[in-house]
Amino acid sequence: MLVLSRKLDQRIKIGEDIEIVVVSISGDTVKLGIEAPRSVKVLRSEVYEEIRDQNRQAVIEGGISESLQAILGITKPSKD
């Protein structure tokens, strides 16, 4: 993991088209602005994990083809 220190209004560049800006700092809270193409999904990790978990649950409950499960890296629990 790369750890960087930044001050207010300083930026971090990721690749050619993603930029993170320190917008404000208040106590132990840092607000970041993220400039990225619309094609790049930017989610808080807890939102991403919730979506992933809901998708996995839908696969288990609704059933999808075994080939799609393999692509997604999802296995159904065995019915023993």
Side-chain angles (χ1 to χ4, degrees), residues 1 3-4 55 69:
M1 174 188 304
V3 178
L4 301 172
N55 287 341
Q69 289 179 42

Side-chain angles (χ1 to χ4, degrees), residues 5-12 20-23:
S5 296
R6 300 279 72 201
K7 295 180 181 177
L8 189 62
D9 294 325
Q10 289 185 326
R11 298 169 177 265
I12 298 169
I20 300 172
V21 183
V22 179
V23 176

